[in-house]
């Protein structure tokens, strides 16, 4: 596969001209971030979502997808986001200076969250460990390999070193105000897609079609102990991201 690199030079430039690119890994807080950005930047105006939510909304409305937009419309974009964001997506908006960011999550927490998400959509959900065996380990590692066009842990870290910010879900309360401030949207937000919170997506615009997440599985000592051992690459990535976030906060003066 062709090597894809997020160049540090692309992160330079005037703040108002920067395109922010959110590489959304599943169950890391991304729906909260996307709903907030869509509300304050305008869905398909200054914010565009590349993933099921955005793509299906445009298809149902008979609207073109972003790769069919004229240059003047793409030039308005402030944020590109979604599960289908890859490491060269900033070229969609004419190669403007780009600041990529993403968040990773503690493996056991991510597994339980994803299981509850999936189990609520099945009439007869499997037991957690049967589900986990079918899902497979190191989901974040595999997802980043795919989106960054790489195959090894050291290659992922090399690419993520070029990101404007890499954080962890456990510290969203600390980092999101700074991220939102840089983008230029309000820094107070509402948590979305919270387990046992009912349909907390109905107020998002455009509405996000989804079923409420019900807690089918609590965190247990077994899950907390076994999943990190099985997801060793994800655990290693999460620890690296924790350290990376500390370094970036010091660099940016986010104290």
């Amino acid at each position: 596969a062709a090597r894809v690199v997020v160049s540090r030079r692309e992160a330079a430039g005037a703040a108002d001209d920067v395109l922010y690119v959110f590489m959304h890994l599943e169950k890391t807080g991304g729906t909260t971030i996307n709903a907030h950005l869509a509300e304050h930047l305008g869905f398909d105006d200054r914010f565009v979502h590349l993933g099921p939510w955005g793509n299906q909304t445009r298809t149902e409305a008979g609207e073109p997808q972003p790769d069919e937009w004229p240059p003047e419309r793409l030039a308005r974009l402030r944020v590109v986001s979604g599960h289908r964001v890859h490491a060269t997506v900033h070229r969609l908006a004419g190669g403007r200076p780009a600041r990529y960011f993403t968040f990773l999550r503690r493996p056991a927490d991510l597994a339980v969250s994803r299981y509850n998400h999936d189990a609520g959509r099945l009439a007869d959900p499997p037991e957690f460990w049967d589900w986990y065996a079918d899902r497979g380990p190191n989901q974040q590692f595999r997802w980043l390999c795919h989106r960054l066009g790489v195959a090894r842990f050291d290659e992922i870290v090399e690419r993520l070193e070029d990101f404007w910010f890499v954080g962890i879900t456990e510290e969203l309360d600390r980092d999101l105000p700074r991220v939102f401030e840089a983008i230029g949207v309000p820094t107070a937000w509402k948590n979305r897609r919270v387990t046992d919170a009912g349909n907390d997506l109905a107020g998002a615009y455009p509405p996000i079609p989804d079923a409420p997440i019900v807690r089918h599985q609590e965190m247990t000592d077994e899950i907390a102990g076994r999943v990190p051992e099985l997801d060793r690459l994800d655990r290693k990535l999460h620890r690296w991201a924790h350290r990376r976030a500390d370094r970036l906060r010091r660099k940016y003066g986010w104290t």
Side-chain angles (χ1 to χ4, degrees):
R3 176 169 174 164
V4 287
V5 179
V6 182
S7 169
R8 287 185 175 88
R9 292 184 295 110
E10 289 162 347
D16 289 344
D17 188 45
V18 167
L19 177 72
Y20 289 86
V21 182
F22 175 39
M23 192 170 280
H24 176 194
L25 280 69
E26 65 173 27
K27 311 309 294 178
T28 59
T31 302
T32 291
I33 296 170
N34 288 327
H36 186 76
L37 293 173
E39 177 183 358
H40 294 287
L41 295 175
F43 186 88
D44 277 359
D45 181 11
R46 301 188 69 211
F47 167 85
V48 68
H49 186 268
L50 305 180
W53 177 37
N55 295 349
Q56 290 172 16
T57 298
R58 286 184 287 271
T59 297
E60 290 170 2
E63 296 289 336
Q65 299 297 339
D67 59 0
E68 300 174 323
W69 290 4
E72 59 270 19
R73 184 175 181 184
L74 292 170
R76 284 187 51 80
L77 288 175
R78 181 66 166 171
V79 178
V80 177
S81 177
H83 289 309
R84 295 178 186 170
V85 162
H86 53 78
T88 58
V89 77
H90 59 280
R91 297 175 186 171
L92 180 73
R96 288 159 48 197
R99 289 178 175 175
Y100 280 70
F101 66 102
T102 194
F103 293 90
L104 285 80
R105 190 170 184 180
R106 194 180 293 123
D109 292 339
L110 186 146
V112 170
S113 179
R114 183 69 209 192
Y115 174 79
N116 285 327
H117 178 278
D118 292 352
R121 286 152 179 76
L122 299 172
D124 185 21
E127 295 297 322
F128 175 84
W129 288 111
D130 292 334
W131 168 88
Y132 180 90
D134 288 339
R135 168 183 178 266
N138 299 309
Q139 290 288 308
Q140 293 175 104
F141 170 83
R142 290 193 282 170
W143 193 94
L144 284 168
C145 282
H146 179 61
R147 290 303 174 194
L148 295 173
V150 298
R152 302 193 313 269
F153 181 90
D154 62 322
E155 292 176 313
I156 291 177
V157 168
E158 181 183 358
R159 304 307 189 273
L160 291 181
E161 288 278 0
D162 288 329
F163 275 40
W164 169 67
F165 189 72
V166 178
I168 59 174
T169 302
E170 297 78 29
E171 295 183 342
L172 283 179
D173 287 348
R174 179 178 185 178
D175 295 321
L176 275 190
R178 297 293 192 171
V179 171
F180 288 152
E181 181 181 29
I183 292 171
V185 297
T187 59
W189 72 94
K190 176 182 178 181
N191 282 330
R192 305 277 187 172
R193 195 170 272 163
V194 178
T195 301
D196 290 338
N199 186 5
D200 58 357
L201 301 177
Y205 181 80
I208 302 174
D210 201 12
I213 300 176
V214 177
R215 193 179 306 279
H216 291 258
Q217 176 67 58
E218 298 278 356
M219 179 64 69
T220 66
D221 290 343
E222 181 186 17
I223 292 172
R226 283 186 62 192
V227 168
E229 288 300 315
L230 295 167
D231 287 10
R232 291 183 180 180
L233 291 173
D234 276 6
R235 180 180 62 181
K236 190 176 178 182
L237 275 172
H238 181 269
R239 289 175 174 173
W240 176 87
H242 195 180
R243 296 191 299 271
R244 179 63 176 160
D246 284 340
R247 292 194 297 269
L248 290 172
R249 291 188 200 107
R250 291 194 294 271
K251 174 182 177 180
Y252 302 144
W254 290 3
T255 57

